Amino acid sequence: MELAGALQLGELAAAFAALPVFPLFDTAYFIVSVLYLKYEPGAVEMSRKSPFASWLCAMLHCFGSYILADLLLGESPIDYFSNNSSVILATAVWYLIFFCPMNLFYKCVSFLPMKLIFVAMKEVVRVRKIAAGVHHAHHRYHHGWFIMMATGWVKGSGVALLSNFEQLLRGVWKPETNEILRMSFPTKASLYGTVLFTLQQTRWLPISEANLIFFFTMFMIVCKVFMTATHSHASPFAPVESFICPVFFGSVSSGHTSHHHDQHGASHEVSHPPPPLAKSKEELNEGTRKRKAKKAE
């Protein structure tokens, strides 16, 4: 018996999974995506100097996951732009956030209570995209587990994975911000989520797709809303990773790394006194030699 059935949540999960995301949830997704673009240093100035470049960056933030997934599956990367309604809606959101008189629209959507609602709605779309990516890849490659996981992952976090390319459009190059090297919480959650959806799609996880969508969406909403409300960048996976990674990979968690840096910095601070100590020993040895020389005389 499934957990959802025991809790009598099957009908609720099925209704939730069948809930359409366009236009309401997609609008929230576009708003949060373009907001993150506006938060980037120099994004406002770029929108004034080169509106077209700003629009391209906004489209990458809104549709980057679809572009990357289509590239992985050998389809046209501009195929999703045939969806005129979504492109027009994303363009309208971009224009209002960047060019609305007196920044009225931006002030409204960035107001924290409103922003938290949009963030929660965005996670609904993210989980749907992960599930759709795994399902699409399973239809093309029935036994390609890694293809399913890769497609679902880029569907959920393709915008972050394309961040370096998006930076180039803004005239910025920061290779140290590569999302593969430093995964953010949405990227990690998308990776773990696509593993779950792949196991479910291949019948290794005894739960229906609707129930998995419901429970994983609730998890993502709670985590993202809490992190946004508290302005926290701490990952909920950190305690588990700090325990598992040293055992299996011998890696050091971020907490240990910072502690190491602190000790390293402290060692530099303490390393300054040794030269005087070494000098005093030399002086002491020199004094000893002089005394011996006097005795010999």
Side-chain angles (χ1 to χ4, degrees), residues 69-224:
D70 287 340
L71 286 174
L72 287 180
L73 295 176
E75 300 176 359
S76 173
I78 62 172
D79 182 65
Y80 193 80
F81 285 87
S82 62
N83 191 341
N84 296 326
S85 300
S86 295
V87 175
I88 293 174
L89 180 59
T91 301
V93 169
W94 162 76
Y95 184 84
L96 290 173
I97 288 180
F98 278 93
F99 301 104
C100 182
M102 296 183 293
N103 269 340
L104 289 178
F105 187 79
Y106 168 76
K107 292 176 181 178
C108 291
V109 298
S110 61
F111 181 54
L112 186 58
M114 290 294 297
K115 184 179 177 181
L116 294 180
I117 296 174
F118 294 139
V119 167
M121 296 173 69
K122 179 180 180 179
E123 296 311 310
V124 174
V125 179
R126 187 196 304 276
V127 177
R128 297 289 189 87
K129 289 164 65 178
I130 295 173
V134 172
H135 182 78
H136 188 189
H138 180 262
H139 180 73
R140 295 276 300 272
Y141 305 92
H142 295 289
H143 304 290
W145 284 37
F146 292 100
I147 298 178
M148 297 180 207
M149 288 188 284
T151 306
W153 186 36
V154 301
K155 277 274 192 174
S157 58
V159 179
L161 296 174
L162 286 173
S163 59
N164 288 111
F165 180 72
E166 185 269 334
Q167 288 172 0
L168 286 178
L169 290 178
R170 292 190 285 111
V172 181
W173 175 240
K174 296 180 180 180
E176 69 278 2
T177 61
N178 191 327
E179 190 68 18
I180 300 294
L181 297 176
R182 298 182 179 183
M183 290 190 187
S184 60
F185 167 72
T187 304
K188 286 185 179 181
S190 298
L191 179 59
Y192 299 148
T194 193
V195 172
L196 294 177
F197 279 100
T198 300
L199 293 175
Q200 186 279 327
Q201 194 69 233
T202 53
R203 300 296 185 268
W204 283 86
L205 190 63
I207 186 174
S208 68
E209 184 180 32
N211 292 332
L212 183 57
I213 289 175
F214 178 78
F215 287 119
F216 194 68
T217 302
M218 293 302 106
F219 167 76
M220 291 295 295
I221 288 176
V222 170
C223 291
K224 280 295 293 180

Side-chain angles (χ1 to χ4, degrees), residues 41-61:
V44 176
E45 292 78 5
M46 179 191 65
S47 66
R48 302 301 189 269
K49 295 178 181 178
S50 178
F52 181 69
S54 177
W55 178 82
L56 282 178
C57 291
M59 295 303 103
L60 277 181
H61 274 260

Side-chain angles (χ1 to χ4, degrees), residues 9-20 128 210 214:
L9 292 176
E11 294 183 1
L12 175 62
F16 179 79
L19 193 66
R128 297 289 189 87
F214 178 78

Side-chain angles (χ1 to χ4, degrees), residues 205-283:
L205 190 63
I207 186 174
S208 68
E209 184 180 32
N211 292 332
L212 183 57
I213 289 175
F214 178 78
F215 287 119
F216 194 68
T217 302
M218 293 302 106
F219 167 76
M220 291 295 295
I221 288 176
V222 170
C223 291
K224 280 295 293 180
V225 168
F226 175 79
M227 294 173 67
T228 304
T230 59
H231 303 285
S232 172
H233 297 285
S235 172
F237 303 121
V240 179
E241 291 173 348
S242 63
F243 174 76
I244 293 178
C245 291
V247 174
F248 289 96
F249 306 107
S251 59
V252 182
S253 66
S254 58
H256 289 108
T257 304
S258 61
H259 180 66
H260 172 72
H261 286 312
D262 292 341
Q263 286 194 347
H264 187 56
S267 65
H268 279 300
E269 294 175 0
V270 179
S271 64
H272 293 292
L277 291 176
K279 185 176 180 180
S280 62
K281 288 181 179 179
E282 292 176 1
E283 292 176 350

